[in-house]
Amino acid sequence: MDRKQAVIFGGGALALVAGITLVVRSDETPAAQQKVPAPAGPVTTAKAAGAPVRPSSGNAATPPGLDAARPTDCLIEPSQIVRVNSGVEGVIQNIYVDRGDDVQRGQVVAQLYTDVERAAAAAAQARASNPHTERAAASRAAYLATVSQRSDQVSQYLARDVVDEARANAQSAAEERKAAAEDQRVARLEYVQAQRVIGQKTVRSPVNGIVTERRMAPGEYRGADATHILTIAQVDPLNVEVFAPIAQLDAVQVGDEVSIFPEAPVGGIYRARIKVIDRVFDAASGTFGMRLELPNPGNKLPAGLRCRLEIDRKPASITARSK
């Protein structure tokens, strides 16, 4: 048997085996097509009965804004933070306070050089207080007025040019007298202006507080780009910024007093009065903002502390009447 006949014989044998295999498989029932018997008992699941699935009450979460029992945090801050500066430019001569110093309203905290302004004020004061210029102008005006009157009286015996010249000289002298008086008035105004500039170069504290920053030093030039010389924080009274749950909204109103508990190591209990209740709430956190005023005599309580707020609960009858 040659090679070609061997190949033909082998292919026929393979086809015969494949046909026998298909016939045997067609008589068998697939296991996947067999039916699974249903359970004899009734269906008890909620899904099969058609009842809706509801979460148990024990797992329900209260929205954050309705959790009135949640502790209310707050922050104690200065009532004002003032960046003190000079109203005019110049070179700083002295700074009389440093960081941490207590200052009073109206206290001089810095001084710029005022030599030029003081010289200008002295010159203006000298011109304003000099009576000789105005007296000379008044005397000349009176003399020329008399000459003009006499010329008018004898005008029939004088040339017309002489009479007109006398009148013109009298009018000119009167105007010179007014100009001398006006120069004296301007000199007084220049003196006042120089004094105002000197006053602006004397820097005073606008509030009672504590120096928290000393930005410049003596010898530096306070130019147009300088933001401030000192920073003063007013800590009497203090502001207390609060973000309380919305559920506590009915328990407070402007003017109420609440208890403030500063964090350790300060501690203690302080009473603050509600000054502002925000009308715009924060929906994401379920809170509303309040600003409280906390008296701080002697600056004993520092600012920048975290604290806890406790609202005095009102009786239901009082709350209903307040509405």
Side-chain angles (χ1 to χ4, degrees):
M1 181 183 298
D2 56 3
R3 186 176 182 181
K4 184 176 180 180
Q5 292 178 351
V7 171
I8 294 173
F9 180 78
L14 289 175
L16 179 60
V17 172
I20 295 172
T21 304
L22 290 176
V23 172
V24 173
R25 286 187 178 182
S26 62
D27 294 337
E28 297 178 357
T29 302
Q33 296 180 1
Q34 295 179 359
K35 296 182 180 181
V36 179
V43 178
T44 59
T45 61
K47 185 175 181 180
V53 179
R54 298 180 180 178
S56 61
S57 58
N59 297 331
T62 303
L66 300 180
D67 187 8
R70 187 178 57 176
T72 302
D73 296 330
C74 54
L75 180 63
I76 302 174
E77 296 179 343
S79 56
Q80 291 189 74
I81 297 179
V82 185
R83 292 177 175 84
V84 183
N85 208 347
S86 170
V88 293
E89 300 179 8
V91 179
I92 298 177
Q93 182 179 10
N94 285 311
I95 296 180
Y96 302 107
V97 294
D98 205 347
R99 178 179 175 182
D101 291 346
D102 292 335
V103 295
Q104 301 298 319
R105 182 175 182 178
Q107 177 181 342
V108 177
V109 295
Q111 179 68 56
L112 277 65
Y113 282 101
T114 58
D115 297 343
V116 177
E117 289 76 15
R118 293 186 183 279
Q125 186 180 23
R127 292 198 310 272
S129 60
N130 182 18
H132 304 294
T133 303
E134 187 179 4
R135 288 178 183 177
S139 299
R140 186 170 183 274
Y143 169 72
L144 292 177
T146 302
V147 171
S148 178
Q149 291 176 0
R150 291 178 180 178
S151 298
D152 290 339
Q153 292 174 358
V154 296
S155 59
Q156 56 185 352
Y157 303 106
L158 298 175
R160 186 173 182 82
D161 294 341
V162 176
V163 176
D164 292 341
E165 183 180 359
R167 291 175 180 174
N169 290 336
Q171 292 178 356
S172 177
E175 294 298 328
E176 288 177 359
R177 180 181 180 180
K178 293 179 181 179
E182 185 66 19
D183 288 343
Q184 221 173 10
R185 190 182 73 86
V186 171
R188 288 194 293 268
L189 293 176
E190 289 177 352
Y191 173 74
V192 173
Q193 180 184 13
Q195 290 294 331
R196 296 287 177 84
V197 173
I198 293 173
Q200 289 186 341
K201 288 195 171 184
T202 302
V203 184
R204 300 178 183 272
S205 173
V207 295
N208 300 332
I210 299 175
V211 179
T212 60
E213 180 189 21
R214 178 171 164 172
R215 191 175 183 86
M216 302 186 73
E220 290 190 69
Y221 178 72
R222 211 298 292 178
D225 57 342
T227 57
H228 58 283
I229 300 173
L230 298 168
T231 301
I232 299 176
Q234 182 179 358
V235 293
D236 183 21
L238 291 164
N239 282 346
V240 182
E241 298 293 338
V242 182
F243 291 94
I246 296 177
Q248 297 180 356
L249 181 62
D250 291 338
V252 294
Q253 59 184 354
V254 175
D256 289 349
E257 286 192 354
V258 296
S259 298
I260 301 297
F261 300 84
E263 66 180 354
V266 176
I269 304 176
Y270 298 85
R271 299 292 289 177
R273 187 176 299 276
I274 300 175
K275 288 295 182 181
V276 178
I277 297 178
D278 291 346
R279 296 177 177 269
V280 179
F281 301 158
D282 186 1
S285 61
T287 59
F288 68 98
M290 292 189 296
R291 173 172 291 175
L292 284 59
E293 184 179 276
L294 176 62
N296 188 26
N299 302 338
K300 296 180 179 179
L301 188 63
L305 285 173
R306 294 187 180 275
C307 58
R308 181 172 55 83
L309 171 70
E310 184 175 302
I311 299 175
D312 299 335
R313 295 297 176 183
K314 301 178 182 179
S317 58
I318 297 178
T319 304
R321 286 200 299 269
S322 65
K323 292 182 179 179

